[in-house]
Amino acid sequence: MTGDKKKAYPLRISAAVLDAMQHWSEDELRSLNAQIEYVLRDALRKAGRLKPGKAAPADDD
């Protein structure tokens, strides 16, 4: 990581989406938290909303 501090954030998410993310994270050998962060970061990058240098890979929790 590039020195960015992690912040905790309570996330409300549907059971179906959470279950799908859990299975996806297992398939990718990531923690659920790391998978959610990866998906969010990828969406932000694709939308041009992530500043350069902020796309460091997530720590595998």
Side-chain angles (χ1 to χ4, degrees):
M1 201 153 109
T2 61
D4 291 338
K5 293 184 179 181
K6 300 262 182 170
K7 293 184 178 183
Y9 182 81
L11 177 64
R12 290 186 182 98
I13 190 168
S14 74
V17 171
L18 184 61
D19 188 51
M21 289 298 297
Q22 182 67 54
H23 285 98
W24 191 7
S25 71
E26 291 167 3
D27 291 345
E28 299 286 326
L29 302 176
R30 290 188 180 101
S31 68
L32 177 58
N33 190 72
Q35 186 69 18
I36 290 169
E37 190 171 350
Y38 172 82
V39 170
L40 287 171
R41 188 182 299 107
D42 189 51
L44 288 166
R45 182 185 53 77
K46 288 177 180 176
R49 298 202 172 252
L50 192 63
K51 294 179 183 176
K54 299 289 184 184
D59 293 334
D60 287 340
D61 297 344

